[in-house]
Amino acid sequence: MKITYTGYIGKVIILFFYLFFSDKKMMLPNTFVLWVWIIFIVNVFLNHFCRGQLSAARKITRIYLHNKPEVSAKKERKMSLELIPGSMAAILVIWSILMILSFAWILIYQGLILGISAEILLFILIAILPVQYNSHLRYFYKYFEGSESKKSKAIIEAGFDLEDVKSIIDKTIKENINPHKWWREVEDGKR
């Protein structure tokens, strides 16, 4: 199951328990709790960064697989996760936990209205903040530069031709191509 879906399900469960089983329900807070909002801001940045990483990997994988229709969506997801450096695993786990905890803490300490408003604000910010694809792709590229690296071997085992995926990422970086737009063009048959 995707991390984002797990986060949404976790938030719905927390909201359900807050509404029906919490003894300390409040609509608006009596006091402002600064640390809750600092964690929310960290959550916004982690959301933006991690979603950018996942999106960049997914778009590059889709561009790579555009003429290979026999690959299932599940296999595509597994392949795209292999492009993400192993060092991101801990950050992705922290992000998935923080997504849920940030919402829970805002509900508990700042009330229902601010909790729901914070989630709406988070959704809007994620939608309007541009993804820095080139920085994410440079980050990917440096982890499988050498053909003998563990990451290179994992990428090959996932089903990629290492040189092909490297050339796609290299072209994207050098020509400053937005992989999302490139994927849309591939999908529409323009490239």
Side-chain angles (χ1 to χ4, degrees), residues 104-166:
W105 287 330
I106 291 173
L107 277 179
I108 293 167
Y109 292 103
Q110 300 292 270
L112 183 64
I113 293 174
L114 291 179
I116 301 292
S117 298
E119 283 303 303
I120 292 169
L121 177 64
L122 177 64
F123 184 76
I124 291 169
L125 287 173
I126 289 169
I128 63 172
L129 289 173
V131 175
Q132 302 300 319
Y133 284 109
N134 266 355
S135 63
H136 293 303
L137 294 175
R138 282 190 185 97
Y139 188 60
F140 296 168
Y141 197 80
K142 79 176 188 177
Y143 278 92
F144 55 89
E145 281 180 327
S147 60
E148 297 301 313
S149 74
K150 283 183 183 179
K151 194 61 179 171
S152 296
K153 290 176 183 173
I155 288 169
I156 292 167
E157 288 172 8
F160 285 105
D161 178 294
L162 187 61
E163 292 308 314
D164 285 351
V165 76
K166 282 171 85 172

Side-chain angles (χ1 to χ4, degrees), residues 16 50-51 60 66 76 99 103 106 111 126 143 158 177:
F16 176 79
C50 291
R51 286 177 189 263
I60 292 299
H66 80 277
E76 178 188 313
M99 266 194 301
F103 178 64
I106 291 173
I126 289 169
Y143 278 92
I177 299 170

Side-chain angles (χ1 to χ4, degrees), residues 45-59 84 88 92 95 126 129-137 140 179:
F45 284 112
L46 261 180
N47 252 293
H48 184 255
F49 178 75
C50 291
R51 286 177 189 263
Q53 288 267 313
L54 294 170
S55 178
R58 193 170 40 253
K59 297 302 187 255
I84 297 173
M88 277 295 296
L92 289 171
W95 169 49
I126 289 169
L129 289 173
V131 175
Q132 302 300 319
Y133 284 109
N134 266 355
S135 63
H136 293 303
L137 294 175
F140 296 168

